Amino acid sequence: MTSQEKQREEAKRERMYDPVLRWQHLQETITWAEANMPPHLRRNRPRVHPSLPKPNRIS
Amino acid sequence: MNVDVILESFNRQEVDAILIGGMNFMLRHQPVLTFDIDFWIKDTDENLSRVAAALRDLKAEWGATEKTWGILPSGHEWLRTQQIYCLTTRHGAVDIFRSVEGLSRYGECKARSSIHRSAGGQPYRSLSERDMLACQLALPEGSRRLDRIVYLQKYLKEHP
């Protein structure tokens, strides 16, 4: 497998992707990714005062 | 993309696969922008049959050309015609790799991989950091993700 093969396959899919479905999938991916991020990397997360200990990382 | 539904379908069909690419890196390490889910699959007839079943469950579409693009052909022989397949499914874009640049044996990489769960509770097998780095270094220089390489090199130094 070469990166050229991958690029060709991706370009073909891009052309065949239903635009409405693609938009919906992008929105869902952003939501899903947000839910799967460790708490300290999430947007709109509860903030803590700098003097308090940072939330634990989840690996 | 509903990644949990895709993982669930692969798990239900007992597909032997390792999660690779941006989604794997995002789940295990840092937020990166990615809009497809990449699976490296064990390249045996039995497993290809399972992969085809999982993709059919997800209402996948693919074609060797744009003219033949549509619902998947029957059976799994079509999965023998290329090394990589970029498909659409009802739940998001899926890439299937029968081989991965920079990585040689599936069994060896699987032995180094580890199993984790998504926030939705779906288990997935994750490519090891060492192999993630090998994938990046195997790419042509212009296609490499330097930030990911630097991160993985630092990670492997701290977690030998």
Side-chain angles (χ1 to χ4, degrees):
Chain A
M1 197 270 297
T2 65
S3 49
Q4 281 179 337
E5 278 180 81
K6 187 170 187 285
Q7 281 172 4
R8 273 200 304 272
E9 269 289 294
E10 281 178 333
K12 180 175 63 185
R13 173 173 60 196
E14 195 67 25
R15 290 189 295 271
M16 301 310 294
Y17 220 136
D18 174 73
V20 175
L21 197 59
R22 189 172 190 280
W23 183 87
Q24 183 192 324
H25 288 161
L26 293 179
Q27 302 307 311
E28 286 175 356
T29 306
I30 292 164
T31 308
W32 187 90
E34 183 72 18
N36 278 271
M37 265 182 218
H40 68 285
L41 292 176
R42 288 181 197 158
R43 291 174 299 167
N44 302 323
R45 60 193 182 273
R47 307 287 166 156
V48 293
H49 192 272
S51 65
L52 295 170
K54 285 184 181 172
N56 291 333
R57 288 183 75 98
I58 294 177
S59 60
Chain B
M1 165 162 59
N2 192 331
V3 180
D4 282 321
V5 175
I6 296 170
L7 292 174
E8 198 270 333
S9 178
F10 273 63
N11 288 333
R12 186 164 8 96
Q13 295 293 345
E14 298 180 354
V15 172
D16 192 340
I18 304 173
L19 189 63
I20 61 173
M23 189 62 72
N24 183 46
F25 185 75
M26 189 205 85
L27 283 171
R28 301 286 302 127
H29 294 289
Q30 284 189 320
V32 290
L33 199 61
T34 182
F35 295 110
D36 53 26
I37 179 164
D38 304 301
F39 291 105
W40 182 16
I41 58 165
K42 186 180 179 186
D43 196 10
T44 62
D45 275 325
E46 188 187 10
N47 198 47
L48 292 182
S49 175
R50 291 174 178 178
V51 172
L55 291 170
R56 274 193 202 94
D57 287 350
L58 294 165
K59 312 282 184 228
E61 293 191 355
W62 176 81
T65 65
E66 289 175 32
K67 280 187 180 173
T68 59
W69 189 275
I71 57 167
L72 298 180
S74 58
H76 68 270
E77 286 306 313
W78 60 277
L79 277 168
R80 281 256 173 249
T81 57
Q82 298 182 183
Q83 289 299 309
I84 177 178
Y85 297 81
C86 294
L87 309 100
T88 58
T89 77
R90 190 166 288 180
H91 303 281
V94 175
D95 291 355
I96 300 292
F97 292 79
R98 290 174 57 212
S99 62
V100 179
E101 238 177 326
L103 303 179
S104 50
R105 291 174 191 275
Y106 180 87
E108 287 172 11
C109 294
K110 185 179 173 182
R112 286 193 289 271
S113 69
S114 50
I115 295 175
H116 304 271
R117 278 183 190 275
S118 70
Q122 285 302 321
Y124 62 92
R125 184 174 284 282
S126 166
L127 189 72
S128 69
E129 285 75 16
R130 171 182 153 182
D131 291 326
M132 286 187 218
L133 180 60
C135 286
Q136 283 297 320
L137 295 175
L139 292 170
E141 272 191 35
S143 305
R144 291 179 192 166
R145 292 176 173 87
L146 291 178
D147 53 342
R148 214 179 289 184
I149 290 172
V150 169
Y151 175 91
L152 288 168
Q153 284 172 334
K154 184 169 178 277
Y155 180 91
L156 288 166
K157 214 173 199 178
E158 292 168 359
H159 304 83

